[in-house]
Amino acid sequence: MEQLKTIGRELAMGSQGGFGQSKEFLDLVKSIGEARSKAEEDRIVLREIESLKRRIVEPGIPKRKMKEYIIRLVYVEMLGHDASFGYIHAVKMTHDDNLVLKRTGYLAVTLFLNEDHDLIILIVNTIQKDLKSDNYLIVCAALNAVCKLINEETIPAVLPQVVELLGHSKEAVRKKAIMALHRFYHKSPSSVSHLLSNFRKKLCDSDPGVMGATLCPLFDLITNDANSYKDLVVSFVSILKQVAEHRLPKAYDYHQLPAPFIQIRLLKILALLGSGDKQASEHMYTVVGDIFRKCDSSSNIGNAVLYECICCVSSIHLNPKLLEAAADVIARFLKSDSHNLKYMGIDALGRLIKLSPEIAEQHQLAVIDCLEDPDDTLKRKTFELLYKMTKSSNVEVIVDRMIDYMISINDNHYKTEIASRCVELAEQFAPSNHWFIQTMNKVFEHAGDLVNIKVAHNLMRLIAEGFGEDDDTADSQLRSSAVESYLHIIGEPKLPSVFLQVICWVLGEYGTADGKFSASYITGKLCDVAESYSSDETVKGYAVTALMKIYAFEIAAGRKLDILPECQSLIEELSASHSTDLQQRAYELQAVIGLDVRAIGSIMPSDASCEDIEVDKSLSFLNGYVEKSLEKGAQPYIPENERFGMVNISNFRNQDQLEVTSHGLRFEAYELPKPSVQSRTPPISVASSTELVPVPEPSYYRETPQTAPVPSSSDTGPSGLKLRLDGVQKKWGKPTYSSSSASTSNSSSLKVVNGATQVDGVSSGNSKTHETSYDSRRPQVEISEEKQKLAASLFGGSSKTERRSSTGHKVAKASSHASEKFHTSKSTTIYSADNVVEKPNLVQPPPDLLDLGEPIVASIAPSVDPFRQLEGLLDSTQDPGTFGGTKAPDFMALYAETPAGGRSAVTNPSQISKGPNVKEALEKDALVRQMGVTPSGQNPNLFKDLFG
């Protein structure tokens, strides 16, 4: 009665303006509905967008009017236009205390926004507050928004309130809370892993709606781990029994069927729990049998429940009575005039045929009717059924039907699928070699290049290996049959490339094996193929290789070699080809023709395509050569995983050229540092004033603040300019300061330390009545003789599936040809490490080159050349005289050789001579940097000398 009053009020409002909306809004909806084209509709919507942009920002808009504007924005978004300018107003409306406005706001934001939108953060607090509201309608609106908008990062903010609402007094709130937890489980299973027991509890809820909502998350959980929920089998069976017995309120009935969607979900769950478990399946037999007897098949929803029962019976432990009941239901489906029910019957028959192949024989005429039906979807489903029921007695009929259907369709995707199934059935159930070769030829000829290249390789391997029954005569007959059929087909125009590759390979291997055809005849055919398909380099390559095999076999047999003129011209043409692969094959063919019998027997043995090839991937035969080269000073080989992304400075060709071994970036951490080794170069004393030497650091290392005093860096030059680093805070990075302690003048070596450290997842009576009445109405149709013959060929054989044993085709014997044996041996690899002297007591943070302090004039001339200091960063084992020679310094050694403890030691410098203008270049660059001026161009002298 209350609902009728509400409807009456709304109808009264509609007569005055459309459910509380203005006449302008009704005119908008009417004009959109009457638009005759997409362009007219777009013009109306764009005009509305311009109007809303202007009106929605006006001050003092009444709330009722703002609500209408938000609804108009929803129309704009639904029609595919952008209304992002009004998103913020929808978010603001969710904050309103009025229930109607708040629900309108939540409806709008759930339609406008996605879980990763920037405005989500603005409504999280509102959702938290509304989840605690006393008005359950507000709580339901907030839970709707939670299911749509909360992402993985914001789940912890609302999870406690959602869990608390599982005990709410209103069933609608409890149901939506279950749905929210289910959503959280999809988004982040780990965040609700400790709350999964709540689903078990809510399965016993007093409200059927809450119980029905709980079935959805439980289905997902059981799909992932059925063994953990085996104890719930009795509970699920009890619930299903109560539902089937009409224990639920009438509100849950649909077409007089009690809660059919709950029944379907429960049957899906029972199918998972009873799979492979006889004890659990025994609990289900009674209730599933009751549904078969009680379910009404006069409606679509009743047929859906019956179909799900068949799926359940096919999954659980086999029960003969249930299997018989399922077969009766399938018979009703297949006898129906509805294509949908026929489709369900074919699909259900395909499920039961695995358990009892005899069932298909009971419905053979119905299956043939589906096979000849003009409905393409039904025909495809029938072919899937025939594929499952294929055996050696009916394989020829089924494969021929599939090939005929494949020729008649234009869908390349499905044509590819049918071709692969034809190949599979032919390999498993081929009654004879001749039929097998002819079938494969049809598949390749009509499917063309849609056939997977692996199918071609498997066919070549099958012809080479035979059927593996130790019958050489049968294998020879197979190869001879293949050669004869290919010589007959090779003259046809426009053959697929994959098929031509198979033809060339077979003719090259076995064209002259049985002596029926001469070498000249075979080579002439191969030259015709190469000439006819001159644009296909792969086919030409196969043809040239086949020529080489035939000539080699002729030489090995001691017969006189007769090269046709067209073959000679083909070889000469390919010798000058732009393709290096064809060139190489042509030159190899010329070389093979000039060899003697003994050499030919070694490099091209007859019928050796199935022999295993041993590959030494380590190239151990080169170990001696590698050792000699290392002794002469050659660089050791660096594995690719170690040199990836690293700069190789040893590849300098001149002072201005830098080559990089890889252009990729290294995202992995550096290796742990190696212990330092004492330098073999004697220390050289330096002056009291140390030069500023910039040491590059990886940007993803973490700096550890050091408290030890470090010597200040000063650089005094003729112009008296230097960088002041004393007491100056760094502009980026962690807040550290440079120490102001002075450098020592009596140090015997340069003490520059880098402070970087490494930072180490449904009644039987009714059913019979329906069936009897249906059969009485159905006219008796006389079956044609052709259909009877087809049925006899499809279903008249032995019912047991016969497949070749593992000793049949050697297609399954992949180990003899597809795998490789590898003989590996360790190869010699020598690594060299930089020798450094570690100074653990002195630490200096990286210099701040952005300090623009006042320059200090020094009166002491530099006693050390700054570029001599760079030598201390290099490998101390180098000869200083070879800086620009063959062995160049490796700057990247600084990255790999960082000692433990966060300190980086540097070796003592060596004496090297630089260009005369080094100091000028440094001073000029330092001066312009201190004055805040960016140089207009690079200083060529600076970089030329730096990488000299």
Side-chain angles (χ1 to χ4, degrees):
M1 190 65 184
E2 188 66 24
Q3 292 178 351
L4 291 176
K5 291 180 180 179
T6 304
I7 295 173
R9 283 196 302 268
E10 291 177 347
L11 288 175
M13 294 173 63
S15 63
Q16 299 173 3
F19 300 98
Q21 307 300 331
S22 67
K23 185 178 183 301
E24 185 181 2
F25 174 70
L26 293 178
D27 291 340
L28 171 66
V29 176
K30 183 180 179 180
S31 62
I32 292 174
E34 292 176 351
R36 297 185 177 183
S37 65
K38 177 63 177 174
E40 182 181 353
E41 178 188 286
D42 290 341
R43 284 196 298 269
I44 296 172
V45 175
L46 291 174
R47 186 166 60 245
E48 180 67 18
I49 290 175
E50 294 301 324
S51 175
L52 288 174
K53 284 182 179 179
R54 184 177 65 255
R55 295 182 181 184
I56 206 166
V57 296
E58 294 177 355
I61 303 177
K63 293 183 178 180
R64 178 182 175 185
K65 204 69 178 176
M66 180 60 74
K67 173 193 169 191
E68 180 180 319
Y69 291 160
I70 296 298
I71 295 175
R72 292 192 190 188
L73 289 172
V74 172
Y75 267 84
V76 169
E77 284 275 333
M78 288 193 317
L79 293 173
H81 295 264
D82 181 32
S84 57
F85 61 90
Y87 289 177
I88 188 64
H89 299 282
V91 173
K92 290 179 181 179
M93 190 167 284
T94 61
H95 304 159
D96 202 287
D97 295 332
N98 184 280
L99 175 61
V100 176
L101 295 178
K102 184 180 286 289
R103 295 181 69 177
T104 302
Y106 274 128
L107 173 63
V109 296
T110 53
L111 293 174
F112 292 159
L113 309 181
N114 58 69
E115 60 183 21
D116 297 322
H117 199 278
D118 294 338
L119 294 178
I120 294 297
I121 195 67
L122 299 179
I123 63 173
V124 172
N125 289 335
T126 306
I127 290 176
Q128 288 178 320
K129 182 186 71 172
D130 291 343
L131 288 175
K132 299 177 182 179
S133 175
D134 296 333
N135 190 336
Y136 80 97
L137 295 177
I138 295 179
V139 177
C140 289
L143 285 172
N144 287 339
V146 165
C147 293
K148 180 67 168 64
L149 300 177
I150 297 300
N151 54 27
E152 186 175 356
E153 296 178 355
T154 52
I155 285 176
V158 297
L159 183 59
Q161 292 95 321
V162 173
V163 175
E164 186 178 351
L165 291 174
L166 290 174
H168 199 276
S169 59
K170 289 291 184 177
E171 61 275 3
V173 175
R174 299 197 302 271
K175 178 179 178 179
K176 291 183 181 296
I178 289 291
M179 294 167 65
L181 284 179
H182 189 196
R183 171 76 171 180
F184 295 165
Y185 174 76
H186 279 304
K187 285 294 178 183
S188 177
S190 59
S191 64
V192 294
S193 58
H194 59 292
L195 301 171
L196 299 182
S197 60
N198 289 283
F199 296 135
R200 288 174 172 262
K201 297 175 183 178
K202 289 303 163 184
L203 189 63
C204 304
D205 195 275
S206 58
D207 184 76
V210 179
M211 179 271 297
T214 310
L215 294 177
C216 296
L218 283 175
F219 176 75
D220 290 345
L221 293 169
I222 293 172
T223 302
N224 296 331
D225 183 16
N227 292 327
S228 300
Y229 297 88
K230 292 285 187 180
D231 55 324
L232 293 178
V233 170
V234 178
S235 300
F236 289 128
V237 170
S238 176
I239 295 172
L240 182 58
K241 184 178 180 181
Q242 295 179 56
V243 173
E245 292 175 354
H246 290 263
R247 300 277 186 91
L248 268 62
K250 286 286 185 180
Y252 291 92
D253 286 5
Y254 181 76
H255 285 263
Q256 300 180 352
L257 198 66
F261 301 104
I262 293 179
Q263 290 190 52
I264 290 173
R265 182 64 63 180
L266 285 169
L267 287 169
K268 287 179 179 290
I269 292 174
L270 292 178
L272 293 173
L273 294 174
S275 179
D277 191 337
K278 183 179 180 180
Q279 184 177 0
S281 299
E282 289 174 351
H283 294 285
M284 310 173 190
Y285 293 158
T286 303
V287 65
V288 175
D290 290 341
I291 295 176
F292 270 126
R293 290 191 300 270
K294 296 178 180 179
C295 193
D296 182 16
S297 61
S298 62
S299 61
N300 286 334
I301 190 65
N303 290 322
V305 175
L306 289 173
Y307 172 78
E308 205 59 53
C309 286
I310 297 173
C311 295
C312 182
V313 169
S314 65
S315 298
I316 64 177
H317 193 270
L318 182 62
N319 181 271
K321 293 183 179 180
L322 291 180
L323 192 63
E324 185 179 352
D328 293 339
V329 173
I330 292 175
R332 295 205 299 269
F333 286 166
L334 293 174
K335 292 176 183 179
S336 172
D337 293 331
S338 171
H339 284 99
N340 294 332
L341 292 182
K342 284 183 178 180
Y343 186 94
M344 290 171 56
I346 293 294
D347 184 77
L349 188 59
R351 294 174 181 270
L352 294 186
I353 204 172
K354 302 175 183 177
L355 305 175
S356 178
E358 295 82 3
I359 294 179
E361 298 178 6
Q362 304 172 13
H363 310 288
Q364 47 186 309
L365 294 178
V367 171
I368 293 174
D369 288 338
C370 293
L371 196 61
E372 298 175 351
D373 197 282
D375 190 318
D376 197 57
T377 305
L378 181 59
K379 188 180 294 186
R380 292 185 181 187
K381 199 66 181 178
T382 308
F383 274 119
E384 291 183 12
L385 173 64
L386 294 179
Y387 171 74
K388 294 177 183 178
M389 55 181 286
T390 303
K391 48 192 174 183
S392 59
S393 60
N394 59 9
V395 62
E396 297 182 52
V397 179
I398 291 177
V399 171
D400 288 344
R401 284 268 179 168
M402 285 185 172
I403 293 176
D404 293 341
Y405 179 66
M406 181 183 68
I407 298 172
S408 64
I409 61 176
N410 296 321
D411 186 353
N412 288 339
H413 176 76
Y414 194 62
K415 184 178 286 189
T416 304
E417 183 179 351
I418 290 225
S420 63
R421 287 181 175 180
C422 290
V423 171
E424 183 181 347
L425 294 178
E427 290 177 350
Q428 292 179 352
F429 306 107
S432 65
N433 299 337
H434 180 73
W435 179 88
F436 174 76
I437 296 297
Q438 295 300 324
T439 300
M440 298 304 296
N441 292 347
K442 289 181 182 179
V443 171
F444 278 111
E445 184 176 355
H446 297 291
D449 293 326
L450 298 175
V451 182
N452 195 313
I453 190 65
K454 293 182 179 180
V455 175
H457 294 163
N458 289 338
L459 175 59
M460 290 187 283
R461 185 175 61 189
L462 179 63
I463 294 175
E465 296 177 350
F467 289 110
E469 298 172 351
D470 296 332
D471 188 354
D472 294 338
T473 304
D475 294 344
S476 299
Q477 291 177 354
L478 170 66
R479 295 162 186 161
S480 299
S481 175
V483 170
E484 291 178 4
S485 61
Y486 291 156
L487 287 173
H488 178 70
I489 295 173
I490 200 170
E492 295 183 6
K494 296 182 181 180
L495 292 174
S497 177
V498 177
F499 193 23
L500 287 169
Q501 295 171 25
V502 176
I503 291 175
C504 291
W505 185 87
V506 172
L507 293 180
E509 287 283 343
Y510 309 108
T512 59
D514 56 359
K516 290 183 180 180
F517 304 98
S518 64
S520 300
Y521 179 72
I522 301 295
T523 54
K525 290 289 186 180
L526 290 172
C527 290
D528 293 342
V529 169
E531 183 179 354
S532 301
Y533 300 89
S534 57
S535 60
D536 194 334
E537 294 185 357
T538 306
V539 172
K540 290 172 72 174
Y542 269 81
V544 173
T545 303
L547 287 173
M548 182 170 60
K549 291 178 182 178
I550 292 176
Y551 288 146
F553 297 157
E554 288 294 295
I555 295 174
R559 292 189 285 266
K560 182 181 178 181
L561 201 60
D562 185 14
I563 302 178
L564 299 178
E566 54 265 33
C567 294
Q568 187 65 44
S569 61
L570 174 65
I571 297 172
E572 294 175 356
E573 176 189 348
L574 296 183
S575 300
S577 173
H578 292 289
S579 171
T580 55
D581 176 64
L582 293 178
Q583 270 195 27
Q584 180 176 347
R585 292 173 187 261
Y587 283 121
E588 288 176 353
L589 174 55
Q590 291 175 340
V592 167
I593 293 174
L595 296 177
D596 57 7
V597 177
R598 182 179 177 185
I600 289 293
S602 300
I603 65 172
M604 296 288 290
S606 178
D607 195 15
S609 57
C610 298
E611 293 183 359
D612 295 331
I613 301 175
E614 298 180 359
V615 179
D616 183 9
K617 282 194 171 183
S618 63
L619 306 178
S620 57
F621 57 88
L622 292 176
N623 286 347
Y625 174 78
V626 172
E627 292 174 359
K628 291 181 181 179
S629 299
L630 290 175
E631 292 175 358
K632 295 179 180 179
Q635 289 286 352
Y637 172 75
I638 302 175
E640 185 177 0
N641 58 347
E642 294 185 15
R643 67 177 183 266
F644 180 76
M646 295 181 62
V647 178
N648 187 1
I649 301 182
S650 64
N651 285 337
F652 283 359
R653 295 296 179 262
N654 51 54
Q655 294 181 352
D656 300 322
Q657 184 177 2
L658 173 65
E659 291 185 0
V660 181
T661 58
S662 175
H663 298 284
L665 297 177
R666 297 185 66 188
F667 296 99
E668 68 274 9
Y670 286 95
E671 297 178 357
L672 292 174
K674 300 178 182 178
S676 60
V677 183
Q678 292 293 336
S679 174
R680 295 191 293 270
T681 305
I684 301 176
S685 61
V686 296
S688 59
S689 177
T690 58
E691 298 284 334
L692 176 62
V693 181
V695 179
E697 294 182 354
S699 60
Y700 45 83
Y701 276 17
R702 186 186 302 164
E703 297 185 51
T704 304
Q706 304 291 337
T707 57
V710 297
S712 63
S713 299
S714 62
D715 182 11
T716 58
S719 62
L721 297 177
K722 78 161 196 149
L723 297 177
R724 273 181 27 183
L725 306 175
D726 301 339
V728 178
Q729 185 178 5
K730 292 172 62 178
K731 298 300 183 294
W732 293 284
K734 295 189 177 180
T736 58
Y737 292 86
S738 300
S739 176
S740 59
S741 59
S743 60
T744 59
S745 60
N746 57 351
S747 60
S748 60
S749 62
L750 180 62
K751 300 179 179 179
V752 180
V753 182
N754 184 9
T757 58
Q758 273 193 342
V759 178
D760 320 352
V762 168
S763 114
S764 59
N766 292 335
S767 300
K768 292 180 180 179
T769 303
H770 286 304
E771 186 175 354
T772 305
S773 60
Y774 173 79
D775 292 339
S776 63
R777 294 194 308 266
R778 187 174 181 88
Q780 299 296 327
V781 180
E782 184 178 354
I783 302 172
S784 64
E785 183 179 355
E786 182 181 354
K787 283 189 178 181
Q788 292 178 356
K789 290 182 179 179
L790 181 59
S793 60
L794 286 174
F795 305 94
S798 176
S799 61
K800 296 184 179 179
T801 303
E802 303 173 14
R803 295 181 180 265
R804 294 183 182 271
S805 62
S806 59
T807 60
H809 293 343
K810 288 192 178 177
V811 172
K813 195 180 78 172
S815 60
S816 67
H817 188 73
S819 64
E820 296 180 353
K821 297 180 180 179
F822 302 108
H823 297 272
T824 59
S825 61
K826 298 182 178 178
S827 60
T828 306
T829 307
I830 301 176
Y831 301 94
S832 62
D834 290 337
N835 299 323
V836 295
V837 178
E838 184 179 0
K839 301 296 182 181
N841 296 325
L842 298 180
V843 177
Q844 174 182 342
D848 190 351
L849 297 181
L850 292 177
D851 178 19
L852 304 179
E854 293 295 331
I856 294 179
V857 179
S859 59
I860 303 175
S863 59
V864 178
D865 188 342
F867 285 89
R868 294 179 185 171
Q869 304 294 338
L870 287 174
E871 185 122 1
L873 304 176
L874 306 177
D875 188 355
S876 61
T877 63
Q878 295 179 130
D879 184 4
T882 63
F883 191 81
T886 59
K887 190 174 181 182
D890 189 3
F891 288 99
M892 298 309 294
L894 293 169
Y895 289 83
E897 300 296 335
T898 304
R903 303 180 178 92
S904 174
V906 181
T907 61
N908 294 324
S910 305
Q911 297 292 336
I912 57 175
S913 51
K914 297 293 176 181
N917 52 0
V918 174
K919 296 184 180 63
E920 272 184 28
L922 281 177
E923 291 161 5
K924 178 179 178 182
D925 195 63
L927 177 59
V928 295
R929 290 183 183 274
Q930 290 185 4
M931 295 175 66
V933 179
T934 303
S936 58
Q938 292 182 344
N939 189 338
N941 296 328
L942 175 64
F943 293 101
K944 185 177 293 184
D945 292 328
L946 179 59
F947 293 105

